Amino acid sequence: AQSVAQPEDQVNVAEGNPLTVKCTYSVSGNPYLFWYVQYPNRGLQFLLKYITGDNLVKGSYGFEAEFNKSQTSFHLKKPSALVSDSALYFCAVRSPLNRDDKIIFGKGTRLHILP
Amino acid sequence: GAVVSQHPSRVICKSGTSVKIECRSLDFQATTMFWYRQFPKQSLMLMATSNEGSKATYEQGVEKDKFLINHASLTLSTLTVTSAHPEDSSFYICSARKGQRNTEAFFGQGTRLTVV
């Protein structure tokens, strides 16, 4: 069975500092991995994805994520946090080996950027 | 990116009535759409997968007679909450995928349903 873990419910970072939001996964085969961001009372916005190729993936709003197969991780990072980055972040995974189309989401990590 | 529009964004209804939520892909054809439910401070719970022209596939524990899903065209899927009860109050979100399974899904804005 596939699963995603986001071990931190909340992450606090001072504005201008680097940020990391952690994600680990469990899936059969090589995973498709995604990061989404959600602002209050809104749907999810796509940030970036890893399908294959370079382990470091760059996405929207200056975010990037690194796929680490040995650690089964896909942590989201940004070199310098902005107050406007404060939101709820979801990591998600899909296995290409599964016949169903399900994308599994982590429970989310609330990011607070302190001015 | 691609745009998915969900309507209405907020709805309040009385117990026992039905509510329809629409999900439209505005600039692409979506062969597959997904419906999620999100409880406060929790992750997204997949309710069902909707394929154009066929019956939706419901997740375990989701009542198909209560949550009717129709995917009549490549750009429109609807979720109807029938005989709504206060416990159905929640945030409902749809998403649509453009192409192959390695592509990302795009999400609607969500619908806040309150049943009184």
Side-chain angles (χ1 to χ4, degrees), chain B residues 4-11 19-26 35 76-80 92-94 107-113:
Chain B
V4 175
S5 176
Q6 191 172 336
H7 178 81
S9 58
R10 290 178 177 271
V11 59
V19 174
K20 180 183 284 187
I21 302 170
E22 291 188 348
C23 180
R24 293 181 184 274
S25 55
L26 296 187
W35 287 96
L76 173 64
S77 177
T78 61
L79 167 68
T80 302
Y92 293 87
I93 310 176
C94 72
F107 285 78
Q109 309 95 310
T111 297
R112 172 74 59 193
L113 171 63

Side-chain angles (χ1 to χ4, degrees), chain A residues 26-58:
Chain A
S26 175
V27 72
S28 301
N30 294 319
Y32 299 152
L33 293 158
F34 308 86
W35 273 102
Y36 288 86
V37 59
Q38 185 181 32
Y39 295 97
N41 293 309
R42 300 300 301 272
L44 277 65
Q45 294 180 30
F46 170 74
L47 282 179
L48 50 80
K49 66 180 178 182
Y50 171 83
I51 302 300
T52 187
D54 195 348
N55 289 345
L56 184 63
V57 178
K58 294 187 182 297

